[in-house]
Amino acid sequence: MAKTGPKTVEGIAAVTRNLPPPHASGPRTPQGKFIVSLNGVKHGLYCEFLPCKRSGCFYKEVCPLSSEDEGKQILQEISYGSPCPWEVAAYEMLYPAYLEDLAPKDEVREALVRELVILEIKLMRCSRLSVIECGLMRQVPVKDTPFSRTAPCLASRYRSYLWRRKVDLLQTLLTG
């Protein structure tokens, strides 16, 4: 990787001198700060609910809402960064069904059921990412060599983790 920018002490000092003060750069309004805070969210695999970025969403190609007029209307009505309406609808459908099937007797078990439903939503998100990412394997460069190795794609690795966690949760709920 080639480093860009000045390489001399004088050049670095000139760039540093010309930087705006921290309070004069970046977004100033709470809404602007919130929008910028979502810049780091790409695939959102680790988020509880994916924040909706409307047309900037990583999953826009496979979003069930963007293919229907009613779904497009829903996307226009929600606030930027609100939880993905499709995932919220899936949660609202799955949570009562899981509560009924697993019949939690206390708040701890109810929290485990909630976590199980969130895991289901994350597994659905992994499936959507698999459609976008396509291959189950990818080529990863080996550090300091001209070679590369195969490695499972992110969706595949994370899906394995989610399945293990789901099995553990189900065992806890069914035996406890």
Side-chain angles (χ1 to χ4, degrees):
M1 281 187 272
K3 182 180 174 186
T4 59
K7 293 173 181 43
T8 64
V9 174
E10 297 83 18
I12 293 170
V15 168
T16 306
R17 257 192 327 271
N18 293 327
L19 286 175
H23 68 278
S25 63
R28 291 174 178 80
T29 65
Q31 180 186 7
K33 291 177 183 182
F34 176 71
I35 289 170
V36 168
S37 75
L38 296 178
N39 286 349
V41 177
K42 183 177 178 183
H43 50 67
L45 285 182
Y46 309 114
C47 299
E48 188 169 285
F49 287 105
L50 185 68
C52 186
K53 294 168 88 177
R54 295 189 185 132
S55 62
C57 180
F58 186 72
Y59 299 96
K60 67 180 172 244
E61 299 166 13
V62 293
C63 178
L65 295 176
S66 62
S67 61
E68 301 174 5
D69 290 336
E70 185 180 335
K72 290 177 184 176
Q73 183 66 32
I74 291 169
L75 289 175
Q76 289 301 317
E77 291 173 0
I78 65 166
S79 302
Y80 187 89
S82 296
C84 172
W86 185 80
E87 290 185 353
V88 170
Y91 178 85
E92 290 173 352
M93 182 184 73
L94 291 173
Y95 186 66
Y98 275 49
L99 276 178
E100 184 179 317
D101 290 345
L102 297 170
K105 297 161 186 65
D106 57 18
E107 290 179 16
V108 173
R109 287 177 55 86
E110 195 169 322
L112 291 175
V113 170
R114 182 183 187 288
E115 185 179 348
L116 184 63
V117 174
I118 295 295
L119 282 173
E120 287 290 346
I121 290 170
K122 288 181 177 183
L123 282 165
M124 288 183 225
R125 197 179 306 153
C126 278
S127 297
R128 290 190 292 160
L129 181 59
S130 297
V131 171
I132 296 168
E133 213 174 35
C134 292
L136 294 176
M137 301 300 281
R138 61 191 173 101
Q139 293 296 316
V140 178
V142 177
K143 188 176 180 180
D144 299 329
T145 69
F147 304 107
S148 63
R149 62 178 175 78
T150 57
C153 68
L154 180 63
S156 178
R157 288 192 326 260
Y158 194 56
R159 181 182 291 120
S160 297
Y161 162 76
L162 291 173
W163 272 107
R164 285 190 307 271
R165 181 69 186 132
K166 180 180 175 181
V167 167
D168 292 344
L169 270 175
L170 283 171
Q171 285 177 341
T172 303
L173 284 165
L174 295 175
T175 60

